[in-house]
Amino acid sequence: MAEALAPAKVNLFLHVGAPTPDGYHPVCSLMAFADFGDVVSARPGQGGLIVRGPFGQGLGPEQDNLIFRAVRAFVAELGREMGELTFTLEKNLPVASGLGGGSSDAGAALRLLRDVYTPGFDDARLEKVAASLGADGAACLWARPVLAEGRGERLSPAPGLPAVDAVLVNPRVPVSTPAVYRALDVSGAFGDVTPPRVPEAFESAEELAAWLTTQRNDLEAPAVAVAPQVGAVLDTLREEPEALLARVSGSGGTCFALCADDIAAETLAERIEAIAPNWWVQRCRLGGPWG
């Protein structure tokens, strides 16, 4: 059996512009990845997908799962059929949570498919397949820090990032990305998607957090409007002394807090669990890629 981590994606900032005539919003986002996420494994079998884990029940029909879409897209690019693989998905991330779980699952599946069937399948072709699966597809394939532009498919290297201790918090409320974008369109509060001037590298969590305060997530206010519970999480994190920065990731569901070190992250996570035992709380380190 082959296995791969499908790490949570975190948008450290996310700038979203006005929609283009085709309805898509240009973005500029600095993405990092957590050392925690779903786990995808594959073994020879009769095909199919086995889903388990704490959030496995929240997924839609099997045939619509991004893992299967990734398999179909890979076969189409390869131009020939492959032997059957049975995939197992350990769903550890909340569904519709702004953490890129589905895209990351697809990226892990694509890496496994190449490793098992076609080790010579080059990176550019694999990235093409990943990009066809959605805006986060290309970034989530390699799960390393990147600056994403366009619809999310134009990637450039991120500045040097330290591995930053963080806490992810989700109120266990799925948040619809289309609903958040509709709320953004109604508000008209579009941002400038010109890439900001970024230092070559950040030496510490404190330095990174201080710089990020000059940036924003343009979907944060619409996400809170769609799901006020997200606002409650955000307000709670921002009141805690261990949080150097608290922000919504992606189109919401999940908020993240950057911390100075692992002790601060552990303290913060334990306090949030005590304050709101029904919320999902996960300590992690942000950076990537993770082995």
Side-chain angles (χ1 to χ4, degrees):
M1 179 181 290
E3 183 178 279
L5 177 67
K9 175 260 327 175
V10 172
N11 300 90
L12 296 175
F13 73 75
L14 175 56
H15 302 167
V16 182
T20 55
D22 60 8
Y24 287 92
H25 295 74
V27 303
C28 180
S29 182
L30 178 60
M31 299 181 183
F33 291 82
D35 62 351
F36 177 85
D38 298 338
V39 178
V40 179
S41 56
R43 58 179 171 79
Q46 299 302 311
L49 176 66
I50 300 168
V51 180
R52 59 193 184 199
F55 294 100
Q57 297 301 314
L59 297 179
E62 179 180 283
Q63 63 270 22
D64 294 334
N65 189 279
L66 271 170
I67 290 176
F68 275 178
R69 289 176 53 193
V71 172
R72 293 193 291 266
F74 184 85
V75 170
E77 177 67 21
L78 188 62
R80 62 177 173 82
E81 291 297 321
M82 306 178 300
E84 293 283 2
L85 285 178
T86 296
F87 286 91
T88 299
L89 170 61
E90 183 78 25
K91 192 64 185 168
N92 298 317
L93 297 174
V95 177
S97 63
L99 296 176
S103 295
S104 197
D105 295 343
L110 288 173
R111 298 195 304 273
L112 290 174
L113 285 167
R114 180 170 73 171
D115 291 348
V116 171
Y117 287 115
T118 56
F121 198 88
D122 67 65
D123 287 356
R125 292 179 71 190
L126 202 63
E127 289 171 6
K128 174 185 173 184
V129 175
S132 73
L133 299 173
D136 290 338
C140 288
L141 174 62
W142 306 121
R144 54 179 175 243
V146 290
L147 185 71
E149 298 176 75
R151 296 181 183 178
E153 84 288 357
R154 296 204 323 262
L155 307 179
S156 55
L161 299 178
V164 179
D165 291 281
V167 178
L168 307 177
V169 184
N170 183 288
R172 297 184 185 270
V173 175
V175 178
S176 163
T177 296
V180 171
Y181 271 99
R182 286 194 295 270
L184 175 68
D185 289 344
V186 169
S187 74
F190 306 115
D192 181 3
V193 294
T194 304
R197 296 183 62 182
V198 185
E200 289 187 7
F202 296 95
E203 300 300 324
S204 66
E206 291 87 347
E207 184 182 357
L208 174 62
W211 183 81
L212 285 171
T213 61
T214 67
Q215 308 304 313
R216 63 195 186 276
N217 178 354
D218 291 328
L219 296 183
E220 187 167 280
V224 171
V226 169
Q229 300 93 328
V230 175
V233 171
L234 199 57
D235 290 343
T236 301
L237 287 174
R238 286 175 173 167
E239 291 173 355
E240 301 304 320
E242 293 84 7
L244 300 173
L245 172 85
R247 180 166 286 164
V248 169
S249 178
S251 58
T254 305
C255 302
F256 66 92
L258 304 185
C259 300
D261 52 37
D262 60 340
I263 295 175
E266 180 178 11
T267 301
L268 177 59
E270 290 177 350
R271 189 180 305 117
I272 297 300
E273 287 172 336
I275 292 171
N278 293 327
W279 291 353
W280 177 78
V281 180
Q282 179 63 51
R283 285 176 55 206
C284 66
R285 303 196 88 196
L286 296 180
W290 306 101

